[in-house]
Structure formats: structure tokens, C-alpha cells
Amino acid sequence: MTRYKAIISYDGSGFYGYQVQPNTRTVQAEIEKALKKMHKGKNVRITASGRTDTGVHAKGQVIHFDSELDITAEKFQKALQVMTPFDISFLTVEEVPDDFHARFGTVGKEYRYVVKRMKVFDPFSRNFALHYPYELDLSKMKLASERLIGEHDFTSFCSARTERDSKVRTLYSIDFYEEDEETLVIAFQGNGFLYNMVRILTGTLLDAGQGRISPEEISKALLARDRQKLISKTAPPQGLYLWRVDYE
């Protein structure tokens, strides 16, 4: 039995998230379907670094799986690329030690959120970015982001449906990239993220850019540890990308 690590990318538009669900199309289900064919009807379970929600994309999701097939990692990559749908891509496949774990071995992740600032709605980016035709003060967004850097209890910045006991996470950085006059990318790097955390942080920073929330109010929301105390909405899923997963 050999363990394989794969880095995959996918367009989340056509999936009901990553995780297997009954009677729905998911990333995990499509990959496991391909592996089942390769293994002559035997189920092969894959494990990912984490779930992504409906409509959320991935540039660098990491999975692992175990196989008893005697083929190279390169052949695995080529076969899975052919046997999975066109909205999934296997960027790399490699053999790894048996103790490698795609989820529990992570030491950090990067998510990016894409905002299109053009005045007129672009139908071709509707599944891949948030259309936001309002004025934004980038300097205010950067000041607000400074209150979020470091180790905090992010209860106020995650969904009430978050199941984890501890809501303490560390944000290493929040960076802003203006790719062109119409495209703003917000990059979040941290040791881990809670359910809807990046989308809520994005909504908060967009409100800060419009002057609707101050850095002081963000600090108060962190201390309150109550999602109801934060007025900012959760940004929609289509602008969010799991960009990179880090391991030791």
C-alpha cells in the first residue's frame, strides 16, 4: 500500500462543495468515482486539507489517498486527469510517507478573495469574483486589516454553525493586490481558518473601505466573541479561492 499526495485545482461553480453529500455533485465524489474505476470497483477514500463550500474554488487544494496499484505517481496523475471532469485538474501527484496527512499535517493556508470593481456588471466573471461597483478607500481597508493580524479568538468572524470548540486562530498577514484598475485581490495567510471566516473578514474589510466600520469597532468585535455583534455581511462564495496549503 502506497500513500499519494496530490495538489488539485477546481472550478467550484458546478459543485455543491468539496465534501461528499447524497445526490449532489461534489469534488470528493468525482475523484473517488475515478479512483474506484481505477481500482476495479474497490472504494478508495481521499482526505483533503479541508472542505470548501458550494461555489468556492481551489488553486492549490491538497488531498491524499492510499493505493495498492503498482503504478508510478506520474501515471496516476495522467489517469486521474483523464478520468475526472474538466472542472478538476491534478497539478501534481507524488508518493509520500505513510504518516503524511493532508488535513492534520497542515501548518498554514492561504486564501484569496477576488473583487471586480467595474461599474458595469461583467457576466463572464460572475462565477469567479464579487462584483462590487462601489468606491473603496484602500488605506482604510489596510488600517482595518491591521487589527485582525495575530492570534485572536475569531468567534465574531465565523459562522454560528462552526463546530470547533476553539475559535482561536493566527492570521499571519492580509495583503491587497490591485491586479488592474478593476480587480482587487485580498490574500489571507494564517495557521487555519474557521467556517466562513475568510468570507466574513472580506465583508468586514469591504465595509471598512466604505467607512461603514472603523478599526476600533473591529477590535471591539474581536473582544465580544459574538457573531451578532458584527454588522458586516458574509461575502458570497464565488470570489473565494483556496490558494495554497503549507506543510512542514
Side-chain angles (χ1 to χ4, degrees), residues 18-51:
Y18 165 81
Q19 190 176 28
V20 168
Q21 301 177 54
N23 304 314
T24 59
R25 184 174 186 263
T26 69
V27 177
Q28 181 181 3
E30 291 292 346
I31 296 174
E32 289 183 352
K33 188 191 303 182
L35 285 168
K36 187 175 183 177
K37 289 181 182 178
M38 292 182 68
H39 290 78
K40 309 299 183 184
K42 182 178 179 180
N43 290 321
V44 177
R45 178 55 62 94
I46 64 174
T47 300
S49 69
R51 310 171 189 174

Side-chain angles (χ1 to χ4, degrees), residues 185-202:
V185 178
I186 310 173
F188 302 84
Q189 293 188 48
N191 65 351
F193 294 88
L194 301 164
Y195 185 45
N196 279 355
M197 179 174 161
V198 177
R199 290 167 58 191
I200 294 170
L201 290 172
T202 298

Side-chain angles (χ1 to χ4, degrees), residues 105-222:
T106 61
V107 295
K109 290 182 179 180
E110 179 178 346
Y111 282 88
R112 295 192 180 188
Y113 198 96
V114 179
V115 181
K116 289 290 187 179
R117 303 173 62 186
M118 67 273 288
K119 297 299 182 184
V120 179
F121 175 71
D122 174 19
F124 299 105
S125 64
R126 71 188 188 281
N127 292 326
F128 305 104
L130 169 64
H131 178 233
Y132 200 83
Y134 313 109
E135 293 297 325
L136 285 173
D137 187 329
L138 200 57
S139 63
K140 288 183 178 179
M141 296 177 73
K142 290 178 179 178
L143 283 173
S145 72
E146 293 172 3
R147 302 298 179 103
L148 298 163
I149 304 300
E151 183 181 86
H152 303 286
D153 185 314
F154 282 98
T155 300
S156 297
F157 294 85
C158 69
S159 168
R161 294 166 52 195
T162 303
E163 300 172 353
R164 312 244 175 130
D165 292 332
S166 174
K167 309 296 194 304
V168 176
R169 296 292 184 274
T170 301
L171 270 181
Y172 303 137
S173 64
I174 301 176
D175 296 306
F176 300 86
Y177 304 105
E178 293 183 280
E179 292 189 343
D180 52 49
E181 292 182 357
E182 298 177 334
T183 307
L184 173 66
V185 178
I186 310 173
F188 302 84
Q189 293 188 48
N191 65 351
F193 294 88
L194 301 164
Y195 185 45
N196 279 355
M197 179 174 161
V198 177
R199 290 167 58 191
I200 294 170
L201 290 172
T202 298
T204 303
L205 292 173
L206 291 173
D207 278 348
Q210 285 217 296
R212 289 200 293 259
I213 189 169
S214 68
E216 291 73 22
E217 289 175 295
I218 291 175
S219 294
K220 288 179 181 178
L222 283 168

